[in-house]
Amino acid sequence: MVNIREIVLNILMEYDKDGGRKTTLLKDALEKYDYLETRDKAFIKRVVEGCLERNIQIDYVIDSFSKTEVKKMQPLIRSLIRMGTYQIMFMDSIPDSAACNEAVKLAQKHKFAGLKGFVNGVLRNISRNKENISYPDKTQNGGADYLSVLYSVPVWLCKMWLTEYGFERTEEMLKFFLEPRPTAIRCTVDPRDGVSGSSDMEIATENANKLKKELEDAGVVVKENPILPYALELEKTDNIKYLPGYAEGRFAVQDVSSMLVTEIAGILKGHTVIDVCAAPGGKSMHAAQKVGADGKVFSRDVSVSKKELIAENAARLGLDNITIEVVDAKIHDDNMKRNADYLYLDVPCSGLGIIGRKSDIKHNIKKEKLTELTKLQWDIVKSCWDYVKVGGTLMYSTCTVNKAENEQMVKRICTELPFEPVDITDVLPKYIIENDKYNIKDTAKKGYIQLLPGEFGTDGFFIAKLKRVVK
């Protein structure tokens, strides 16, 4: 019989050994053990992801009750105590005694019988005192130490956000990162329908209503998204590929924040869109449905594997108005000069807005990496900006929350290149306008919005709309 806790242990040890760089370890393991009961796979996923996303807090707690620091422990013992601590601290459905006993058994099984007393002692000490753990004071270091430990985010990143957004908004973001996230899907429209732009929304919404019922009949918990009526949020999905409508291309997996790029762009039928950093292709697919059968989308990315990913999605959605190409966005393509009615620059970024979906980001990103990324982003902007026709639109977007990559980059584009911001207040969804706590409308007048993680229930995302002018 397979010991599911041993599977968790092996995955955590690999992550520990690898330094968290191989992000597919959990996915690969779940595929390997796909024959297990859904409940067992859910346990593996929950504990592994929980240990990774709460690693700073878990290590802080362990160090509070262990005479040996976490970093000095044997690798197997370190992973054992981490997984036991996570179960004790965050899984009410697991008795503390079970978390302790199973960890001791695994220590003994792996020839660490001499340390089973240590494992047992640390975990039982945590169990007895878990309601009275002393965390850093909120007043220390501007609150950065407190936020870092409680939400498992590096101190330097907490300091950056505290400076830019203050304590309240920073804590709201960090809380959101740790909340369970539904899978967001965009219900599709066949571009061959030939409907007017104003009807796309109605047809997609009607399709969403039909699909919602079918998904609910299949046992999926479905919620309508309040921002866009054709977006649905799914819970209790084991494998999305087996859901009604997937194989037929009736929906695409895409966060609402990403959908907003195409909505704000205001794409018209028959126009041309160039998406230079397109993988996995969500925005390209959305644009292809907007431009219709007479429009064109050039969907590009830097590698064959990314091209194949885009092609797979396009084929499933039945889109034949997309040209998918392997092109390095840093290299100028003279054939595309003044060819785009809309240029999508969803540039490589630090990904700080999607930490809630990819917790490895907060552990792997380094402060100096942010500077490298802004250089790469500017290189792509310089290479591609003249693909936009005079009077055409540049949509600059990232899935991060970092002013150097966002607001400052847009300011540089408008200063050094022939672009000016477009007021997007009138195209913002009603829900955002009505629930605007921090005056997002003020920046919308300047041509951009920064969606902070959780502020409207979406990932963190930055969107700017710029018009090419003659200078």
Side-chain angles (χ1 to χ4, degrees), residues 287-411:
Q289 292 172 352
K290 290 286 188 180
V291 299
D294 295 329
K296 296 178 183 177
V297 174
F298 293 89
S299 188
R300 298 174 154 193
D301 220 300
V302 71
S303 67
V304 172
S305 61
K306 289 187 175 183
K307 175 187 175 182
E308 291 173 348
L309 181 59
I310 300 169
E312 180 184 330
N313 285 324
R316 184 177 63 82
L317 296 179
L319 299 171
D320 55 12
N321 58 348
I322 298 183
T323 300
I324 305 167
E325 302 169 314
V326 177
V327 179
D328 185 343
K330 298 193 303 297
I331 300 173
H332 184 266
D333 181 357
D334 205 52
N335 294 322
M336 286 296 169
K337 204 169 179 180
R338 298 196 177 194
N339 199 27
D341 295 292
Y342 308 90
L343 173 64
Y344 281 8
L345 288 182
D346 190 71
V347 293
C349 70
S350 55
L352 300 177
I354 56 171
I355 285 174
R357 297 189 187 276
K358 298 181 178 181
S359 62
D360 58 287
I361 290 172
K362 64 183 177 183
H363 307 311
N364 292 332
I365 192 70
K366 304 298 181 186
K367 194 172 183 179
E368 54 273 18
K369 181 71 172 176
L370 298 184
T371 303
E372 295 173 18
L373 281 167
T374 56
K375 183 182 182 305
L376 171 61
Q377 290 159 357
W378 183 244
D379 286 344
I380 292 173
V381 171
K382 285 193 302 180
S383 172
C384 300
W385 70 267
D386 67 354
Y387 298 171
V388 185
K389 298 175 181 177
V390 174
T393 298
L394 188 160
M395 297 299 298
Y396 179 90
S397 61
T398 73
C399 57
T400 195
V401 184
N402 173 24
K403 292 189 176 182
E405 297 177 75
N406 296 337
E407 291 94 329
Q408 292 173 25
M409 188 62 65
V410 167
K411 183 178 180 181

Side-chain angles (χ1 to χ4, degrees), residues 226-228 425-436 456:
I227 299 176
L228 294 174
T425 310
D426 291 343
V427 294
L428 289 183
K430 183 179 178 182
Y431 181 83
I432 290 179
I433 296 295
E434 292 180 346
N435 293 274
D436 181 12
F456 299 100

